[in-house]
Amino acid sequence: MNVSFIIPCLNCEKFIENTVQKLIKKLKKIKNINYELIFIDDGSVDNTGKILKKHISKKIRVLKNIKNLGKSASLIKGIRASKKSKIVIIDCDLPYFSYLESILKNLRNDSFTYINRKSSKSKLKNKKLNLYQISRFFIGRIICYLLSLFFFDNKIGDTQAGLKAFPKPKNFKNIRFISKKFFLDAELMILFYKAKTQMVSIPVNYKIYSNSTIKILSFQNFIYLYELLKIILFYKFTNKNYKFNLMS
């Protein structure tokens, strides 16, 4: 199986070395996989880029955004540059890493596979949540609810978890995505679902972390909200549908 791993990065010098080592170690143990790692440094102002450059090889590429463009723009850039027929997108802190093999197993069947924290089989491991964690939890659930209500007939659970996999659309470079900042993974799920792709969810045991680049009281959140509304309006109230031509 030929897989491109797309990993957006922003100011993660404290753990990016460990990320690279963990991925390489894990992938060496998986049989019959031909992979490449594509890291997108999204305008980091720390040593993230310098650390990543040390690992450039035939299997590891590093793309650089001169300024911070957003997670969605970075993912689009990475997927467009990818050379493999299947794609895994994963956050640079490797969330849900223990479920990677389950994700890859379903990817062999050309399904869109995603982590689903809303599954009845999933379990929140935090015993107590502070106000920030509670806010993140409910905001995430509201986003998932809106997208599910408008597009997925309540059949799709979690659109926001940072680990997903799918066959690469052959015409990916020609698709004009609405999302530029934060919601590309949700937009991709809408497109694959409309294309009647098999959608497979993976239940997980998970935590809500108290440290995140996402701040509840931030002007940036209004930009995210505006982008979410644009996606809903575009795919719900226009007749434009993209046809996905999947690579064999």
Side-chain angles (χ1 to χ4, degrees):
M1 182 167 64
N2 298 311
V3 185
S4 295
F5 291 81
I6 314 299
I7 308 127
C9 307
L10 175 62
N11 298 331
C12 50
E13 63 178 6
K14 293 182 180 179
F15 58 83
I16 194 62
E17 177 69 31
N18 184 54
T19 292
V20 177
Q21 298 297 341
K22 281 182 69 175
L23 275 170
I24 293 173
K25 184 178 180 180
K26 169 68 79 172
L27 293 171
K28 282 183 177 179
K29 295 179 180 179
I30 299 176
K31 295 180 180 180
N32 300 319
I33 184 171
N34 178 20
Y35 71 89
E36 64 175 350
L37 305 180
I38 301 179
F39 293 89
I40 305 92
D41 180 6
D42 189 20
S44 296
V45 296
D46 62 3
N47 291 315
T48 297
K50 291 181 180 179
I51 295 169
L52 287 172
K53 283 182 179 179
K54 296 188 301 182
H55 293 282
I56 293 176
S57 66
K58 289 183 179 180
K59 286 187 174 293
I60 300 177
R61 287 191 282 160
V62 179
L63 308 180
K64 172 73 175 178
N65 295 335
I66 296 176
K67 63 178 182 179
N68 179 253
L69 298 179
K71 180 180 177 182
S72 293
S74 296
L75 288 172
I76 291 169
K77 185 174 185 175
I79 297 171
R80 283 178 175 169
S82 65
K83 298 178 180 178
K84 309 301 182 184
S85 61
K86 300 181 190 297
I87 302 293
V88 173
I89 58 177
I90 185 169
D91 291 347
C92 60
D93 57 347
L94 302 183
Y96 321 106
F97 189 67
S98 61
Y99 298 91
L100 183 59
E101 290 184 70
S102 296
I103 290 282
L104 292 172
K105 180 180 178 180
N106 285 287
L107 184 58
R108 294 181 187 276
N109 299 323
D110 283 340
S111 62
F112 189 108
T113 307
Y114 63 100
I115 295 298
N116 187 6
R117 295 165 297 185
K118 288 184 64 181
S119 168
S120 59
K121 297 180 181 179
S122 292
K123 182 178 180 182
L124 177 61
K125 294 167 65 176
N126 298 74
K127 294 183 178 179
K128 293 184 179 180
L129 298 176
N130 60 32
L131 181 60
Y132 172 78
Q133 291 168 313
I134 293 171
S135 299
R136 279 192 62 189
F137 178 84
F138 280 107
I139 289 172
R141 287 299 173 95
I142 290 170
I143 291 171
C144 292
Y145 173 77
L146 287 173
L147 291 169
S148 182
L149 179 67
F150 281 109
F151 302 110
F152 303 127
D153 303 318
N154 293 317
K155 295 177 182 178
I156 303 296
D158 193 346
T159 62
Q160 301 308 113
L163 174 57
K164 296 178 177 69
F166 49 88
K168 180 181 177 180
K170 191 174 183 179
N171 64 332
F172 187 88
K173 291 183 179 180
N174 298 324
I175 298 173
R176 183 176 63 85
F177 290 98
I178 304 301
S179 178
K180 296 293 186 283
K181 290 292 184 180
F182 192 66
F183 290 104
L184 181 74
D185 47 358
E187 189 171 356
L188 283 168
M189 292 181 79
I190 293 170
L191 288 168
F192 273 96
Y193 186 78
K194 282 177 172 286
K196 302 188 184 304
T197 305
Q198 181 183 15
M199 311 291 283
V200 177
S201 71
I202 306 293
V204 292
N205 295 328
Y206 69 101
K207 289 183 178 181
I208 300 174
Y209 293 98
S210 57
N211 57 327
S212 172
T213 57
I214 301 173
K215 306 302 179 185
I216 301 301
L217 299 177
S218 170
F219 177 76
Q220 190 76 13
N221 291 331
F222 290 98
I223 298 176
Y224 295 155
L225 177 61
Y226 174 67
E227 185 173 88
L228 178 63
L229 290 174
K230 282 176 64 178
I231 290 170
I232 291 173
L233 290 172
F234 181 80
Y235 289 106
K236 187 65 179 177
F237 300 109
T238 72
N239 294 320
K240 188 172 183 179
N241 290 318
Y242 292 115
K243 292 184 179 180
F244 274 22
N245 300 316
L246 300 182
M247 300 175 73
S248 58

